[in-house]
Amino acid sequence: IDPAKIEEAITPRTRAILATHVYGNPCDVKAIAGIAAKHGLKVIYDGAHAFGTRYENKSLFAYGDITTASFHATKLFHTIEGGAVTCTDPDVLKTMAYMRNFGHETPEEFACVGINGKNCEFHAAMGLLNLNYIGAILEDRKKSSLYYDSQLVNLKAGRITVRQGVTYNYSYYPVIFPGEVELLRAQEQLNKNNIFPRRYFKPSLNNLNYVDRRATPVSEDIVGRVMCLPLFYGITRQEIDFICRILLRAQKY
């Protein structure tokens, strides 16, 4: 999100700023905090990709009023399914505790409307086990990402720019092609070799058939050109070499 464009979008009805740490790369949390303070707004972050990323030696989950985290099986830390919400206000924490458990105050009294938002013990057990390996997972993903960098020096595609002062979690390895034609050519060659990268994010959310259609030119441009290459704990150098050879060959023909 571009902080320079936030203020012009604020109206008397605005209550909060909602921003996403895309691919685990932090938003400009300082600028957003300043805007929020100026206008008396709350800040909510989508931190689904942010586990393990630190900004100025603090977890990204420490910024903003509320941050949501995803622990889905595709994330670098997971509990098979589920997630978490972090916050800085004890009263908000109490309210969320009610909301995730049907709003129960006692078995017969209710504090508010709620849902069944609890994780089960099996999810918790999986998460506790995975925490034992998170250091190795983060280090392995970093090494694999840097190896991709070294092998794709000649690939005509952009990379994300990680914000200064960040200890990055290397949760994804997105590449941004000059245009969709180049992306589709690369995707076709990878698929022919049983490699199936994800066009993450696609489609642009403003094009979903159940939302009011609004122009979002930056998003619409990027979703046509960005693709995440395979990146997972244990991916081998040989596998990365194979992927990179296909990408470099695809851009020649």
Side-chain angles (χ1 to χ4, degrees):
I1 190 170
D2 183 350
K5 296 180 179 179
I6 291 176
E7 285 197 274
E8 65 189 55
I10 296 172
T11 74
R13 299 178 63 238
T14 304
R15 295 292 177 267
I17 300 168
L18 173 61
T20 304
H21 301 304
V22 182
Y23 301 127
N25 193 18
C27 298
D28 189 340
V29 293
K30 288 184 176 178
I32 292 172
I35 295 167
K38 177 181 176 181
H39 294 274
L41 302 174
K42 300 295 185 183
V43 179
I44 302 171
Y45 284 116
D46 176 344
H49 298 172
F51 188 97
T53 295
R54 300 179 68 83
Y55 177 61
E56 295 189 344
N57 294 319
K58 290 200 303 185
S59 166
L60 270 192
F61 297 152
Y63 295 92
D65 295 282
I66 292 176
T67 301
T68 63
S70 172
F71 297 156
H72 183 260
T74 57
K75 301 299 186 287
L76 57 85
F77 169 77
H78 75 90
T79 61
I80 302 174
E81 187 55 276
V85 184
T86 63
C87 65
T88 57
D89 186 333
D91 290 332
V92 173
L93 177 64
K94 185 176 181 179
T95 298
M96 289 194 298
Y98 286 135
M99 292 173 69
R100 73 165 180 253
N101 189 31
F102 302 108
H104 276 295
E105 177 106 50
T106 70
E108 297 180 358
E109 296 176 313
F110 294 83
C112 62
V113 174
I115 63 171
N116 184 11
K118 305 183 296 295
N119 285 347
C120 74
E121 288 83 354
F122 187 75
H123 291 147
M126 177 61 77
L128 288 170
L129 285 172
N130 282 333
L131 278 177
N132 293 326
Y133 305 99
I134 195 62
I137 290 169
L138 290 167
E139 183 61 27
D140 184 77
R141 296 177 81 94
K142 178 179 180 179
K143 288 180 179 178
S144 296
S145 295
L146 295 178
Y147 190 70
Y148 263 125
D149 288 345
S150 69
Q151 299 306 300
L152 292 176
V153 171
N154 295 319
L155 183 69
K156 297 173 183 177
R159 314 290 193 279
I160 63 170
T161 301
V162 178
R163 190 171 299 282
Q164 290 290 320
V166 169
T167 302
Y168 187 50
N169 65 0
Y170 298 92
S171 53
Y172 297 91
Y173 194 88
V175 290
I176 307 170
F177 291 88
E180 191 165 25
V181 170
E182 292 87 346
L183 181 149
L184 292 173
R185 184 186 302 134
Q187 184 181 34
E188 179 184 16
Q189 294 304 313
L190 289 167
N191 289 171
K192 284 181 178 179
N193 288 275
N194 293 317
I195 299 165
F196 300 97
R198 184 177 177 187
R199 296 186 65 178
Y200 194 11
F201 301 88
K202 188 178 186 294
S204 179
L205 297 185
N206 63 309
N207 289 322
L208 297 177
N209 60 11
Y210 52 82
V211 301
D212 294 335
R213 180 72 170 85
R214 295 189 183 185
T216 58
V218 174
S219 174
E220 291 171 31
D221 170 48
I222 294 297
V223 297
R225 303 189 291 119
V226 67
M227 180 168 66
C228 286
L229 301 183
L231 180 65
F232 53 88
Y233 179 62
I235 189 171
T236 66
R237 295 294 178 267
Q238 291 81 3
E239 288 168 330
I240 294 176
D241 285 338
F242 185 50
I243 292 165
C244 294
R245 285 198 301 271
I246 293 169
L247 289 170
L248 292 169
R249 188 166 62 240
Q251 88 178 359
K252 291 182 180 180
Y253 304 106

